[in-house]
Amino acid sequence: MSEGNAPFAESALAAMLDSLDGGALVFEGEGLSCRASSARVTELLGLPSEPLLGRKRDELLAAIVPGDDATARAIAALRGVVEGEVRRETLAIKSDPPRLVEWSSAPITPEDGAEGRVDLLTDRTVEALLREELERVYAKMAETSLVDELTGLAN
């Protein structure tokens, strides 16, 4: 790509990040956010709506309010990710409304040696609610098959 197309490429990348259903963060080697779909990321993580460019990855992870102990451990695991490691954690976020977010993190190691990370956030809240409802319906069906609805007696 020629240098004359660089502004277009930057605009295209920003538009692509903003059009994602999930959230996306790109961090340079120092851990500073250099690209982000800020509105979606802050919404998913229950954080104040503010630009994320220039924020450190660890600072962002520290701002998340975990909904349970497993999420606190997952956040610690994401903070302690070692260079070159691909990591995927599910976070129960204490926000309004509460959310279940899958955070995937992978290293960027381009040929020029500059390193960084790309982190993708996927909202799993609806999926979890549907799974709970399905389990409830299944339990009700199992119970119904054991009891005669007319007499209330066991089958």
Short mmCIF file of all heavy atoms in Angstrom, two decimals, residues 19-43:
data_model
loop_
_atom_site.label_atom_id
_atom_site.label_comp_id
_atom_site.label_asym_id
_atom_site.label_seq_id
_atom_site.Cartn_x
_atom_site.Cartn_y
_atom_site.Cartn_z
N SER A 19 -17.58 -1.04 13.59
CA SER A 19 -18.72 -1.79 13.07
C SER A 19 -18.83 -3.20 13.67
O SER A 19 -19.82 -3.88 13.45
CB SER A 19 -18.64 -1.88 11.55
OG SER A 19 -17.57 -2.72 11.16
N LEU A 20 -17.84 -3.61 14.43
CA LEU A 20 -17.87 -4.94 15.03
C LEU A 20 -18.97 -5.04 16.09
O LEU A 20 -19.22 -4.08 16.82
CB LEU A 20 -16.53 -5.26 15.69
CG LEU A 20 -15.34 -5.44 14.76
CD1 LEU A 20 -14.06 -5.60 15.58
CD2 LEU A 20 -15.54 -6.63 13.85
N ASP A 21 -19.61 -6.20 16.16
CA ASP A 21 -20.61 -6.42 17.19
C ASP A 21 -19.96 -6.52 18.56
O ASP A 21 -20.51 -6.08 19.56
CB ASP A 21 -21.40 -7.70 16.87
CG ASP A 21 -22.57 -7.89 17.81
OD1 ASP A 21 -23.23 -6.89 18.16
OD2 ASP A 21 -22.84 -9.04 18.20
N GLY A 22 -18.78 -7.10 18.61
CA GLY A 22 -18.03 -7.21 19.86
C GLY A 22 -17.11 -6.01 20.00
O GLY A 22 -17.22 -5.02 19.30
N GLY A 23 -16.19 -6.12 20.93
CA GLY A 23 -15.23 -5.05 21.14
C GLY A 23 -13.86 -5.48 20.66
O GLY A 23 -13.54 -6.68 20.64
N ALA A 24 -13.05 -4.52 20.26
CA ALA A 24 -11.70 -4.82 19.80
C ALA A 24 -10.72 -3.79 20.37
O ALA A 24 -11.02 -2.60 20.41
CB ALA A 24 -11.63 -4.81 18.28
N LEU A 25 -9.59 -4.29 20.82
CA LEU A 25 -8.51 -3.44 21.33
C LEU A 25 -7.21 -3.90 20.71
O LEU A 25 -6.94 -5.10 20.64
CB LEU A 25 -8.40 -3.56 22.85
CG LEU A 25 -9.58 -3.05 23.66
CD1 LEU A 25 -9.60 -3.71 25.03
CD2 LEU A 25 -9.47 -1.55 23.81
N VAL A 26 -6.39 -2.96 20.27
CA VAL A 26 -5.07 -3.29 19.75
C VAL A 26 -4.07 -2.52 20.61
O VAL A 26 -4.18 -1.31 20.78
CB VAL A 26 -4.92 -2.88 18.26
CG1 VAL A 26 -3.53 -3.25 17.75
CG2 VAL A 26 -6.00 -3.55 17.42
N PHE A 27 -3.11 -3.26 21.16
CA PHE A 27 -2.11 -2.67 22.05
C PHE A 27 -0.73 -2.77 21.41
O PHE A 27 -0.38 -3.82 20.88
CB PHE A 27 -2.09 -3.39 23.40
CG PHE A 27 -3.37 -3.28 24.16
CD1 PHE A 27 -4.34 -4.26 24.06
CD2 PHE A 27 -3.60 -2.18 24.97
CE1 PHE A 27 -5.53 -4.15 24.76
CE2 PHE A 27 -4.80 -2.06 25.67
CZ PHE A 27 -5.76 -3.05 25.56
N GLU A 28 0.03 -1.70 21.50
CA GLU A 28 1.42 -1.74 21.04
C GLU A 28 2.26 -2.41 22.11
O GLU A 28 1.76 -2.77 23.18
CB GLU A 28 1.91 -0.34 20.72
CG GLU A 28 1.90 0.59 21.90
CD GLU A 28 2.27 2.01 21.55
OE1 GLU A 28 2.16 2.41 20.39
OE2 GLU A 28 2.68 2.72 22.48
N GLY A 29 3.53 -2.59 21.84
CA GLY A 29 4.42 -3.32 22.73
C GLY A 29 4.46 -2.84 24.17
O GLY A 29 4.64 -3.61 25.09
N GLU A 30 4.28 -1.55 24.40
CA GLU A 30 4.33 -0.99 25.75
C GLU A 30 3.03 -1.23 26.51
O GLU A 30 2.90 -0.84 27.67
CB GLU A 30 4.58 0.52 25.70
CG GLU A 30 5.62 0.95 24.70
CD GLU A 30 7.01 0.66 25.19
OE1 GLU A 30 7.43 1.30 26.15
OE2 GLU A 30 7.66 -0.21 24.59
N GLY A 31 2.05 -1.83 25.83
CA GLY A 31 0.76 -2.07 26.48
C GLY A 31 -0.20 -0.91 26.36
O GLY A 31 -1.24 -0.89 27.01
N LEU A 32 0.13 0.09 25.51
CA LEU A 32 -0.76 1.23 25.32
C LEU A 32 -1.72 0.94 24.18
O LEU A 32 -1.33 0.43 23.13
CB LEU A 32 0.03 2.50 24.98
CG LEU A 32 0.91 3.07 26.08
CD1 LEU A 32 1.71 4.25 25.55
CD2 LEU A 32 0.06 3.52 27.26
N SER A 33 -2.98 1.29 24.39
CA SER A 33 -4.00 1.07 23.37
C SER A 33 -3.73 2.02 22.19
O SER A 33 -3.65 3.23 22.37
CB SER A 33 -5.39 1.34 23.95
OG SER A 33 -6.35 1.33 22.95
N CYS A 34 -3.60 1.45 21.00
CA CYS A 34 -3.37 2.29 19.83
C CYS A 34 -4.55 2.24 18.86
O CYS A 34 -4.67 3.07 17.99
CB CYS A 34 -2.07 1.91 19.12
SG CYS A 34 -1.98 0.21 18.55
N ARG A 35 -5.46 1.28 19.03
CA ARG A 35 -6.69 1.18 18.25
C ARG A 35 -7.75 0.57 19.16
O ARG A 35 -7.44 -0.31 19.96
CB ARG A 35 -6.55 0.26 17.04
CG ARG A 35 -5.48 0.63 16.07
CD ARG A 35 -5.96 1.72 15.11
NE ARG A 35 -4.97 2.01 14.10
CZ ARG A 35 -3.90 2.77 14.28
NH1 ARG A 35 -3.66 3.29 15.46
NH2 ARG A 35 -3.06 3.00 13.31
N ALA A 36 -8.99 1.02 19.02
CA ALA A 36 -10.05 0.44 19.86
C ALA A 36 -11.42 0.80 19.32
O ALA A 36 -11.60 1.84 18.71
CB ALA A 36 -9.93 0.95 21.30
N SER A 37 -12.38 -0.09 19.55
CA SER A 37 -13.78 0.24 19.35
C SER A 37 -14.29 0.66 20.73
O SER A 37 -14.97 -0.09 21.43
CB SER A 37 -14.55 -0.97 18.79
OG SER A 37 -14.38 -2.11 19.59
N SER A 38 -13.91 1.88 21.13
CA SER A 38 -14.08 2.37 22.50
C SER A 38 -15.50 2.25 23.03
O SER A 38 -15.72 1.78 24.15
CB SER A 38 -13.62 3.82 22.62
OG SER A 38 -12.24 3.92 22.39
N ALA A 39 -16.50 2.68 22.26
CA ALA A 39 -17.88 2.69 22.75
C ALA A 39 -18.34 1.27 23.09
O ALA A 39 -18.93 1.03 24.15
CB ALA A 39 -18.80 3.32 21.72
N ARG A 40 -18.06 0.32 22.23
CA ARG A 40 -18.51 -1.05 22.47
C ARG A 40 -17.73 -1.69 23.62
O ARG A 40 -18.29 -2.41 24.44
CB ARG A 40 -18.37 -1.87 21.18
CG ARG A 40 -18.96 -3.24 21.28
CD ARG A 40 -20.47 -3.20 21.45
NE ARG A 40 -21.00 -4.56 21.41
CZ ARG A 40 -21.96 -5.01 22.19
NH1 ARG A 40 -22.55 -4.21 23.04
NH2 ARG A 40 -22.37 -6.25 22.09
N VAL A 41 -16.43 -1.45 23.70
CA VAL A 41 -15.60 -2.03 24.77
C VAL A 41 -16.07 -1.52 26.12
O VAL A 41 -16.27 -2.30 27.05
CB VAL A 41 -14.10 -1.73 24.55
CG1 VAL A 41 -13.28 -2.11 25.77
CG2 VAL A 41 -13.59 -2.47 23.32
N THR A 42 -16.26 -0.20 26.25
CA THR A 42 -16.68 0.34 27.54
C THR A 42 -18.07 -0.16 27.91
O THR A 42 -18.34 -0.45 29.07
CB THR A 42 -16.65 1.89 27.55
OG1 THR A 42 -17.43 2.40 26.47
CG2 THR A 42 -15.23 2.41 27.45
N GLU A 43 -18.96 -0.31 26.93
CA GLU A 43 -20.30 -0.85 27.19
C GLU A 43 -20.21 -2.29 27.71
O GLU A 43 -20.84 -2.64 28.70
CB GLU A 43 -21.14 -0.81 25.91
CG GLU A 43 -22.51 -1.42 26.05
CD GLU A 43 -23.24 -1.53 24.73
OE1 GLU A 43 -22.79 -0.98 23.71
OE2 GLU A 43 -24.29 -2.21 24.71
#
